[in-house]
């Protein structure tokens, strides 16, 4: 995606950094990415879509390990990508990190983390956003 | 509202570790000898998708999760690091946006080798004392670079800690701080260069030891304290040896420093180093206990702090974020080849 | 609304056609279709061309005019329209040409589909194909196109017990069919083991689960049914045409294992044609990945949801099976020049219904179906053809 203006990425910062979705105040459905209009309430929802921060916790619905990546992700392969269903019921597509790729399972509990997603080469801007990692039981050892 | 102090804190350490043995093997050196001489066994390594901004955000989010304050009440963010992802463009704005503290916010990035994080705490203290802000967020974080084969490669690590400074709900009061600063070129990285250079043994007595000893002594003189008045002491940890040596020279005992001495297990996290040590101490400290913290940044300077843990720490929800020891134990070993890929030592286009 | 017939088909070879350019390919296919229809160029009223991304593959937009120009039709200044709907661009171009003829706007219309994919390096082709996914919320995070279908496959295996072997059998069958198609990209018999042992692309999908990067073009000539007998005795009519959409991103769907766009487009086409899925004698379905063919035969109603893998294993979709699927070799083995695919599928069905499919002829085929998908199921066209 070379040659793109940074504005395209900058405008998505609230959603990419903090999983800010929208909630239709008519039917209370939650959407991510944000929607201008609720597909169920349509005109009734105009002006009634309210921003809502998602918890960032969810479960893996399905996943894959990518071995043939797009050019910008070449150094990272193999890496895992999943559709994650968040607690609020919405689904997002994201990488799964900090985890043994063999251990990933459908139904696995994951939480959002903040990572570099891609950049515009050595001289370009860096784009950050959410990835997910397994929810771990922290063990105290000394 | 009492004294200015620490309202909350959070830490972050990337999951990957490389053993000193693996680095030594790559360069034809004896791992046992190096481990013995440095007092370091393994170090943390950031993934390709981690940098000072992501580590700062994770640490800051951990601090916020425990603080239970509205992020909009944070009036200033200072991120101290010598590996900011951009040479020009602040890390602090990324953190501010990611924790929801923007836009009514003061931000600047700090650089003072390994002590920029403690400098950030001092700035926040001053802004709070003058009433300019209610809370300040001070972060020390790094993904330290070391030239392949250089002695620094055994220790240059990644990690960070974030401290919310304020007067409301303080879990540890900062009784006083003192800085000792001179122009001493013991370690540096020139503009536009990828790896730092250093003065070898010159980094020892005229640099690390002189500054830490003077800052600590002057602070204790100012506060009227003696080493035995402190339950814990944390010194900057470029390796496992120096902090032990400096503690001994100053009259501190092993028991006082062991809780905050992390370098043997994660390496030197530069701006994160002494602050991660402080976070580890706060993870275990009890009301009334007293902590001495002295950072060191090449170039050179030391910031020393006298801290007393308050009763508020008893109800402080530490469990809302991982403790430092949990972060240390959450690990995945990688070999030198993967390390080389992650640390951008391999060349590919 | 007028009934519409297809009176001419033209196909180029599919494959890595290093010596052929975009304009040469579409001109070749168009010329063959015109000759097949037995019409004169001056009789053509309008041109529709489906192409996914000439802008990125060859740095050329405005290909409606380009195709009209290179095929010598600009001297008549006929309307030329390029249609884009990712990998369903071809099916969508046919659909719009069909609507124009059925509505009485135009009489003789030529429909082309073309993609020249090998003028960029492989990793760039991967990027371009990923543009059919949601750029901001899928591709941005490093998701590739095979990865989306791989996630469908993973979920299908989880929910229905579809096996790795059953996925492989789709590729084995389609490669076997392609042996009999002179235009196919691959003439290579493969085994289940070959597929399973081929390099992973996005688990559980391997290289041999994926359709290739291809160059190629296809063309059709449409006219009102009542005029068709002026040109040919072997009349094939469009008995049903359906089109539907779904969420652009895979994560936008409740059921990852069902393409509702296929369900809706096919039901619309069946209803118009007045047939049931079991009436279909031969089908060309969108098997960009092996899992896609399993999904297609389920969503088209050939088998129940979840039984696609078993159906393939039991030979239901083989050339001598109950519903032969992809006798041409499909996208998997015939090749997948994305914009050309939807048009080429219909061309194959026309040949089958005319009894001109040579060695791969399905005996007594009278009703055929072509199913074309864009993206990970966000767009779909289904066309039902009938020998008159």
């Amino acid at each position: 995606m070379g040659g793109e203006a940074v504005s395209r990425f900058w405008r998505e910062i609230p959603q990419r950094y903090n999983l800010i979705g929208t909630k239709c105040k008519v039917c209370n459905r939650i959407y991510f990415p944000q929607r201008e209009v609720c597909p169920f309430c349509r005109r009734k929802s105009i002006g009634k879509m309210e921003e809502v921060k998602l918890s960032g916790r969810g479960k893996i619905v399905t996943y894959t390990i990518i071995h043939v990546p797009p050019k910008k992700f070449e150094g990272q392969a193999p890496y895992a990508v999943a559709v994650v269903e968040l607690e609020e019921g919405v689904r997002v597509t994201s990488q799964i990190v900090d985890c043994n790729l063999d251990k990933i399972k459908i139904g696995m509990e994951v939480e959002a983390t903040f990572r570099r997603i891609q950049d515009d080469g050595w001289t370009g801007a860096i784009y950050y956003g959410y990835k997910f990692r397994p929810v771990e039981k922290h063990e105290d050892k000394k | 509202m009492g004294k200015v102090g620490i309202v909350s804190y959070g830490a972050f350490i990337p999951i990957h570790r490389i053993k000193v043995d693996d680095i030594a093997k790559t360069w034809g050196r004896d791992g046992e000898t190096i481990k013995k001489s440095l007092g370091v066994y393994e170090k943390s390594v950031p993934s390709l998708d981690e940098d000072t901004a992501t580590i700062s955000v994770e640490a800051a989010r951990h601090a916020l999760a425990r603080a239970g304050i509205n992020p909009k009440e944070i009036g200033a963010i200072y991120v101290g690091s010598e590996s900011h992802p951009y040479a020009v463009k602040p890390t602090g704005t990324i953190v501010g946006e990611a924790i929801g503290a923007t836009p009514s916010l003061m931000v600047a990035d700090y650089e003072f080798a390994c002590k920029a994080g403690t400098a950030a705490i001092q700035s926040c203290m001053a802004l709070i004392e003058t009433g300019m802000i209610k809370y300040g967020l001070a972060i020390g974080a790094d993904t330290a670079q070391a030239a392949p084969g250089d002695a620094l490669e055994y220790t240059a690590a990644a990690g960070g800690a974030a401290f919310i400074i304020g007067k409301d709900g303080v879990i540890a009061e900062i009784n006083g701080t003192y800085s000792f600063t001179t122009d001493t070129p013991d370690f540096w990285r020139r503009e536009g260069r990828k790896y730092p250079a250093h003065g070898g043994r010159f980094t020892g007595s005229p640099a690390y030891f002189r500054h830490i000893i003077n800052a600590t002594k002057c602070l204790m003189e100012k506060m009227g304290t003696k080493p035995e008045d402190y339950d814990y002491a944390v010194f900057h940890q470029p390796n496992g040896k120096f902090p032990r040596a400096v503690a001994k020279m100053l009259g501190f005992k092993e028991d006082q420093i062991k809780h905050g001495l992390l370098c043997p297990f994660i390496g030197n996290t530069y701006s994160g180093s002494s602050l991660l040590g402080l976070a580890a101490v706060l993870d275990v400290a009890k009301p009334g206990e007293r902590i001495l913290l002295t950072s060191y940044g090449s170039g050179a300077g030391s910031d020393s702090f006298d801290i007393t843990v308050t009763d508020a720490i008893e109800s402080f929800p530490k469990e809302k974020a991982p403790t430092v020891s949990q972060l240390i134990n959450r690990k995945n070993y990688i070999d030198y080849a993967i390390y080389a890929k992650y640390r951008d030592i391999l060349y590919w286009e | 609304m007028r009934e519409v017939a297809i009176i001419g088909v033209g196909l180029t070879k599919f494959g890595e056609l290093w010596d052929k350019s975009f304009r040469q390919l579409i001109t070749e296919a168009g010329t063959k279709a015109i000759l097949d229809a037995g019409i004169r160029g001056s009789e053509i009223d309008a041109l529709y061309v489906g192409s996914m991304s000439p802008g990125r593959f060859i740095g050329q937009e405005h290909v409606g005019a380009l195709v009209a120009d290179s095929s010598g039709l600009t001297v008549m200044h006929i309307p030329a329209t390029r249609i884009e709907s990712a990998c369903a661009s071809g099916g969508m171009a046919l659909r719009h040409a069909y609507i124009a003829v059925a509505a009485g706007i135009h009489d003789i219309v030529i429909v082309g589909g073309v993609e020249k994919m090998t003028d960029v390096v492989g990793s760039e082709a991967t990027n371009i194909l990923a543009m059919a996914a949601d750029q901001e919320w899928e591709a941005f995070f490093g998701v590739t196109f095979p990865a989306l279908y791989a996630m469908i496959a993973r979920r299908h295996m989880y929910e229905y017990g579809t096996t790795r072997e059953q996925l492989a059998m789709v590729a084995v069958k389609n490669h076997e069919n392609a042996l009999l198609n002179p235009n196919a990209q691959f003439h290579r018999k493969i085994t289940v083991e070959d597929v399973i042992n081929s390099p992973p692309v996005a688990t559980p999908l391997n290289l041999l689960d994926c359709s290739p990067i291809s160059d190629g073009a296809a063309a059709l000539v449409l006219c009102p049914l009542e005029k068709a007998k002026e040109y040919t005795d072997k009349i094939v009519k469009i008995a049903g045409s359906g089109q539907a959409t779904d969420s652009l991103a895979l994560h936008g769907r409740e059921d990852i294992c069902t393409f509702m766009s296929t369900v809706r487009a096919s039901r619309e086409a069946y209803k118009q044609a007045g047939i049931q899925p079991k009436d279909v004698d031969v089908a060309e379905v969108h098997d960009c990945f092996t899992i896609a063919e399993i999904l297609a035969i389920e969503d088209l109603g050939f088998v129940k949801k979840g039984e696609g893998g078993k159906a393939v294993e039991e030979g239901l979709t083989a050339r001598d099976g109950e519903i032969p699927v992809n006798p041409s070799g499909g996208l998997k083995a015939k090749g997948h020049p994305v914009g050309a695919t939807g048009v080429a599928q219909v061309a194959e069905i026309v040949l089958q219904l005319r009894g001109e499919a040579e060695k791969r002829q399905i005996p007594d085929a009278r009703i055929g179906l072509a199913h074309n998908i864009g993206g990970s199921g966000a767009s779909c066209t289904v066309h039902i053809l009938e020998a008159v």
Side-chain angles (χ1 to χ4, degrees):
Chain A
M1 291 198 265
E4 281 157 346
V6 291
S7 53
R8 175 174 185 175
F9 301 94
W10 163 79
R11 111 173 36 96
E12 310 298 350
I13 280 178
Q15 301 189 68
R16 296 243 175 87
Y17 283 18
N18 282 317
L19 285 160
I20 307 288
T22 45
K23 180 176 179 177
C24 170
K25 281 197 281 184
V26 180
C27 70
N28 287 327
R29 283 187 179 87
I30 293 175
Y31 298 103
F32 186 89
Q34 299 185 2
R35 285 186 181 273
E36 313 300 317
V37 178
C38 170
F40 294 91
C41 303
R42 293 185 292 276
R43 76 178 60 194
K44 279 182 282 174
S45 69
I46 294 171
K48 291 186 176 151
M49 301 300 282
E50 154 186 274
E51 287 196 347
V52 54
K53 188 176 188 311
L54 304 175
S55 69
R57 289 174 75 99
K59 284 183 180 168
I60 291 178
V61 176
T62 184
Y63 69 96
T64 178
I65 313 297
I66 295 181
H67 290 263
V68 181
K71 201 149 183 55
K72 283 193 172 180
F73 295 82
E74 269 170 357
Q76 297 181 36
Y79 57 90
V81 159
V83 172
V84 173
E85 182 164 310
L86 300 175
E87 286 173 341
E88 295 83 357
V90 294
R91 290 175 173 186
V92 299
T93 301
S94 168
Q95 283 191 36
I96 306 295
V97 293
D98 285 358
C99 144
N100 182 337
L101 296 180
D102 300 331
K103 294 271 158 64
I104 299 175
K105 295 257 179 310
I106 288 174
M108 186 173 173
E109 287 185 39
V110 291
E111 62 188 6
T113 172
F114 185 83
R115 295 297 177 100
R116 269 168 111 118
I117 309 296
Q118 51 167 270
D119 59 34
D120 275 337
W122 292 114
T123 56
I126 303 165
Y127 304 118
Y128 296 89
Y130 52 82
K131 292 188 182 181
F132 286 78
R133 65 174 168 226
V135 175
E136 283 171 6
K137 307 268 177 290
H138 295 290
E139 281 169 48
D140 249 321
K141 289 179 267 184
K142 252 296 189 209
Chain B
M1 282 231 251
K3 271 194 259 182
V4 66
I6 296 162
V7 174
S8 183
Y9 67 99
F12 189 77
I13 302 165
I15 197 168
H16 305 293
R17 302 283 183 281
I18 185 166
K19 290 182 172 161
V20 162
D21 285 317
D22 278 353
I23 301 171
K25 198 174 120 198
T26 303
W27 300 107
R29 305 282 299 275
D30 179 48
E32 290 304 322
T33 312
I34 288 166
K35 281 189 283 186
K36 215 172 148 198
S37 76
L38 293 175
V40 176
Y41 309 103
E42 55 197 52
K43 68 166 189 173
S44 62
V45 183
S47 295
L48 275 168
D49 62 355
E50 289 177 301
D51 60 24
T52 290
T54 67
I55 290 169
S56 298
V57 168
E58 291 286 341
R61 284 180 175 173
H62 288 159
L64 265 173
R66 288 166 168 166
I69 64 165
N70 181 350
K72 299 282 181 208
E73 290 187 302
I74 292 173
I77 297 177
Y78 298 107
V79 181
S81 179
E82 57 104 85
S83 54
H84 290 289
Y86 291 93
V88 178
K89 196 230 158 279
T91 304
T93 55
I94 300 169
V95 176
E97 204 73 55
I99 64 168
T102 52
S104 180
L105 180 70
M106 289 187 274
V107 163
D109 283 1
Y110 281 5
E111 184 281 310
F112 195 147
C114 298
K115 84 155 189 75
T118 51
I121 292 180
Q122 291 174 327
S123 297
C124 288
M125 288 169 65
L127 291 171
I128 289 156
E129 291 287 15
T130 57
M132 279 179 75
I133 59 171
K134 184 172 183 193
Y135 297 111
L137 176 62
I139 300 174
D142 258 306
T143 54
Q145 288 278 7
D150 189 276
L152 294 175
E153 196 179 25
Y154 297 102
T155 53
F163 291 81
I164 297 173
I165 307 298
K167 281 188 169 178
D168 250 3
V170 165
I171 57 164
E173 291 175 346
I174 301 174
N175 309 313
T177 178
Y178 181 89
S179 293
F180 184 88
T181 310
T182 70
D183 189 15
T184 307
D186 59 324
F187 168 104
W188 59 88
R189 182 166 61 84
R190 290 280 298 274
E191 180 62 37
R193 306 310 296 183
K194 185 166 174 180
Y195 298 119
H198 53 86
R201 290 187 56 78
F202 182 69
T203 58
S205 56
Y208 179 87
F209 291 99
R210 178 186 173 209
H211 291 81
I212 289 197
I213 287 168
N214 277 298
T216 308
K217 278 187 173 166
C218 292
L219 177 81
M220 287 195 289
E221 197 176 311
K222 181 175 153 186
M223 305 307 300
T225 53
K226 303 181 294 299
E228 50 269 34
D229 294 331
Y230 295 96
D231 299 282
Y232 306 96
V234 179
F235 301 103
H236 173 57
Q237 308 160 24
N239 53 48
K241 283 266 176 90
F242 277 22
R244 281 203 167 91
V246 85
K248 203 171 166 188
M249 289 175 184
L250 284 162
F252 288 88
K253 302 268 182 322
E254 177 72 17
D255 267 1
Q256 289 166 287
I257 64 164
K258 67 178 184 193
H259 283 287
L261 188 55
L262 313 175
C263 187
F265 317 106
I266 57 169
N268 178 7
T269 55
Y270 285 51
S271 303
S273 174
S274 54
L275 291 183
L276 274 169
L278 175 61
V281 166
L282 290 172
D283 282 343
V284 297
K286 304 267 183 311
E289 290 188 321
R290 204 155 177 180
I291 305 163
L292 181 121
L293 166 72
T294 307
S295 64
Y296 172 70
S298 289
S302 277
D303 303 326
S304 202
F305 297 82
D306 177 14
I307 299 164
T308 303
V309 178
T310 72
D311 293 343
I313 203 152
E314 300 235 276
S315 55
F316 182 68
K318 282 176 200 158
E319 69 286 353
K320 289 194 172 171
T323 63
V324 174
S325 79
Q326 285 168 341
L327 290 166
I328 290 174
N329 290 327
R330 186 190 76 121
K331 60 186 172 184
N332 169 53
Y333 288 105
I334 57 173
D335 61 17
Y336 194 86
I338 297 293
Y339 168 80
K341 187 169 84 166
Y342 284 179
R343 295 314 287 139
D344 186 30
I345 293 167
L346 288 175
Y347 176 83
W348 87 85
E349 283 189 333
Chain C
M1 201 170 89
R2 302 193 289 184
E3 290 211 274
V4 179
I6 299 174
I7 57 169
V9 304
L11 288 161
T12 67
K13 191 177 163 30
F14 282 6
E16 294 174 314
L17 309 176
W18 306 114
D19 56 342
K20 296 265 173 67
S21 68
F22 180 94
R23 54 187 89 190
Q24 284 173 314
L25 287 166
I26 188 62
T27 305
E28 179 187 330
T31 308
K32 282 178 172 168
I34 290 168
L35 291 174
D36 182 56
I39 58 166
R40 282 171 290 118
S42 58
E43 293 178 78
I44 297 172
D45 296 318
L47 177 156
Y48 289 83
V49 61
S51 195
M52 175 188 166
S53 192
R56 287 284 292 271
F57 280 120
I58 60 165
Q60 177 74 61
E61 298 294 10
H62 207 175
V63 297
L66 172 81
V67 171
D69 191 0
S70 61
S71 54
L73 296 173
T74 38
V75 289
M76 279 106 61
H77 306 290
I78 60 161
T81 308
R82 177 250 178 132
I83 307 256
E84 187 280 315
S85 190
C87 309
S89 298
M92 215 64 80
L94 169 62
R95 161 106 174 154
H96 286 83
Y98 164 74
I99 290 170
V101 177
I105 306 279
H106 300 302
D107 277 345
I108 297 191
V109 172
I110 187 156
V111 183
V114 56
E115 213 76 55
K116 176 70 196 174
M117 300 172 74
T118 60
D119 280 354
V120 295
V121 296
S123 59
E124 180 61 7
T126 302
N127 285 342
I128 296 169
L129 291 171
M131 296 197 306
D134 188 323
Q135 280 299 298
E136 306 295 353
W137 306 107
E138 291 181 324
F140 175 77
F141 296 93
V143 177
T144 60
F145 213 63
L148 294 172
Y149 277 90
M151 289 198 283
I152 296 170
R154 175 92 60 195
R155 188 74 200 183
H156 203 276
M157 292 163 102
Y158 175 82
E159 281 190 30
Y160 303 112
T162 302
T163 65
R164 180 56 276 223
E165 286 74 16
Q166 288 168 344
L167 292 172
M169 285 169 197
V170 173
V172 171
K173 168 182 73 72
N174 290 348
H175 268 254
E176 196 162 312
N177 291 350
L179 289 172
L180 303 176
N181 183 352
N183 284 325
Q185 181 160 355
F186 297 124
H187 292 117
R188 177 186 157 209
K189 200 173 156 66
I190 58 169
T191 65
V192 167
E193 290 68 38
D194 290 338
V195 181
I196 291 173
N197 296 326
S198 64
V201 172
T203 62
L205 300 182
N206 294 343
L207 186 64
L208 287 177
D209 287 290
C210 307
S211 54
I213 301 287
S214 320
D215 305 321
L220 304 166
V221 178
L222 269 51
C223 80
L225 182 62
E226 74 254 19
K227 279 189 84 171
K229 53 184 159 307
E230 293 173 26
Y231 301 99
T232 176
D233 297 332
K234 293 181 185 171
I235 297 171
V236 172
K237 72 165 184 178
I238 298 175
S241 173
Q243 177 188 341
T245 50
D246 203 344
S247 66
L248 182 61
L250 185 64
H251 59 235
R253 302 180 201 153
E254 248 173 69
D255 179 4
I256 279 180
C257 296
T258 301
F259 281 178
M260 280 310 295
S261 58
T262 299
V263 173
R264 292 296 291 269
S266 62
R267 297 314 178 266
E268 189 188 330
Y270 290 139
K271 193 177 162 204
Q272 187 189 350
I275 65 160
Q276 300 291 319
K278 64 172 168 45
D279 299 326
V280 173
D281 298 318
V282 57
E284 285 281 312
V285 310
H286 199 93
D287 62 324
C288 48
F289 300 93
T290 49
I291 182 65
E293 180 166 319
I294 288 173
L295 237 58
I297 61 175
E298 294 171 352
D299 296 337
L300 289 167
F302 295 167
V303 298
K304 280 209 296 207
K305 180 50 68 186
E307 293 181 0
K310 204 174 96 204
V312 175
E313 186 168 7
E314 289 170 356
L316 184 92
T317 54
R319 273 202 325 285
D320 58 356
E322 217 170 292
I323 299 184
V325 170
N326 287 329
S328 70
L331 285 54
K332 172 69 204 79
K334 181 184 60 182
H336 184 26
V338 280
T341 284
V343 179
Q345 290 176 319
V346 173
E348 172 71 12
I349 296 296
V350 170
L351 294 174
Q352 290 283 353
L353 300 186
R354 284 185 191 166
E356 293 173 359
E358 299 173 334
K359 289 181 185 164
R360 60 186 191 282
Q361 180 66 46
I362 307 301
D364 308 318
R366 293 204 49 79
I367 295 175
L369 178 147
H371 162 255
N372 194 193
I373 285 286
S376 55
S379 293
C380 178
T381 63
V382 171
H383 286 95
I384 293 168
L385 309 188
E386 209 176 315
V388 179

